[in-house]
DNA sequence: TTAATATATGATTACTTGTTCAACTATTCA
DNA sequence: TGAATAGTTGAACAAGTAATCATATATTAA
């Protein structure tokens, strides 16, 4: 299974999305339910700016999706694989 | 599913292992079969030093295991979750 | 229209990470 | 023993990344 460079880069990008503790917690919240930027910021104890920057990267990878309602923007998971990767990873951490 | 900080960090560390294209290719080779450092270096077109540095990190996470035979050291995958994460990620990249 | 709220963005800065280079250890073979 | 091969390690440097701050945009309400 010697990957070509393109696929290796794409895979690395996907896993990079989960390679930071803040993003991991952010995604764990979104797996439960959609959530606005400000609520995410409050739950994660991060500034809204920092959260927004992270969400931007995740959006570009099509891992989360945005929905505006009034002045709030609600984010949710945009890809089933993410939740499955997350669960599998958690498995490893728990009894690995 | 609001993770505590420790689990979030551990998860992030796990995914970090696959967050670089060189490591992704390295692991894809080891998923096939165990391989010596020099052969890995040749296949990946990296120096043995660079490969060794990467393997060190993966070893510390208990994702790969080393076995010495003469002057060579053969590395192999030390955790089933890795292969499964890898396959699931590949799924996403292919038809995501 | 003005003010207030919610989010996004660009620039800067501090930190992290991957590679290289040189030096070192371990093993085999002559 | 000495030379050659295989791998490891630490330091240094370059490139990448996450947070912050200030500013900008969008939406609502007064």
């Amino acid at each position: 299974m010697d990957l070509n460079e393109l696929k290796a880069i794409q895979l690395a990008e996907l896993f990079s999305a989960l390679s930071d503790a803040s993003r991991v917690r952010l995604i764990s919240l979104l797996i439960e339910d959609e959530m606005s930027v400000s609520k995410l910021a409050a739950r994660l104890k991060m500034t809204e700016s920092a959260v927004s920057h992270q969400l931007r990267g995740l959006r570009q990878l099509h891992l989360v999706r945005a929905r505006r309602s009034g002045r709030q923007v609600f984010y949710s998971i945009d890809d089933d694989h993410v939740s499955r990767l997350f669960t599998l990873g958690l498995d490893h951490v728990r009894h690995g």
Side-chain angles (χ1 to χ4, degrees), chain A residues 3-95:
Chain A
L3 297 178
N4 65 42
E5 190 60 16
L6 174 61
K7 281 223 164 43
I9 290 171
Q10 291 176 320
L11 257 183
E13 275 174 355
L14 170 63
F15 288 113
S16 295
L18 292 158
S19 71
D20 169 84
S22 302
R23 273 194 305 275
V24 163
R25 294 193 59 222
L26 193 159
I27 288 175
S28 83
L29 290 172
L30 294 186
I31 284 177
E32 295 271 283
D33 196 7
E34 66 170 13
M35 200 173 287
S36 68
V37 176
S38 49
K39 186 154 186 193
L40 280 168
R43 294 285 293 274
L44 299 168
K45 291 188 180 116
M46 291 170 65
T47 66
E48 304 186 3
S49 177
V51 171
S52 188
H53 275 297
Q54 294 292 8
L55 286 166
R56 183 191 205 187
L58 296 173
R59 238 188 298 130
Q60 283 169 349
L61 286 171
H62 302 102
L63 300 183
V64 302
R65 153 183 56 218
R67 163 180 88 78
R68 183 178 273 277
S69 167
R71 357 185 186 200
Q72 304 189 82
V73 177
F74 289 89
Y75 279 85
S76 56
I77 299 293
D78 190 23
D79 186 312
D80 187 43
H81 287 103
V82 183
S83 318
R84 292 166 65 199
L85 280 175
F86 193 93
T87 307
L88 196 51
L90 208 50
D91 247 44
H92 166 85
V93 169
R94 290 209 169 111
H95 15 72

